Amino acid sequence: MPLYTYVIAHKGNTFIAQTRRSNPKGFPDWMEALPPSLRRQVADPYHGAFKAVPNRQNVWQHRFTADGSELSVTVVQTDE
């Protein structure tokens, strides 16, 4: 299974998670990288969809609102 790297940005903070899964979109493993207080602010990590980043290969992004600010999750397929 491929390795995916999740880069989460929120209010000037960056959090990183990695996991091996069959696809990068159906699992909220990236939430484990967040502090518990912020994790509770993401009401539904399955809401919406990760979208391919234009002009990039194997990179997806999804944006949420958490604690009144944007939380951006960028996923990069790190290997096959």
Side-chain angles (χ1 to χ4, degrees), residues 14-48:
T14 304
F15 308 94
I16 307 292
Q18 287 186 311
T19 189
R20 289 192 182 275
R21 292 286 187 179
S22 58
N23 70 77
K25 304 174 186 180
F27 308 95
D29 296 318
W30 55 269
M31 289 191 60
E32 296 298 319
L34 302 177
S37 60
L38 183 56
R39 199 176 312 150
R40 286 189 291 274
Q41 297 289 324
V42 180
D44 184 3
Y46 296 105
H47 180 72

Side-chain angles (χ1 to χ4, degrees), residues 1-5 18-22 58 60 76-80:
M1 278 192 269
L3 177 68
Y4 295 100
T5 301
Q18 287 186 311
T19 189
R20 289 192 182 275
R21 292 286 187 179
S22 58
N58 301 320
W60 302 267
V76 179
Q77 183 175 336
T78 310
D79 74 359
E80 298 269 344

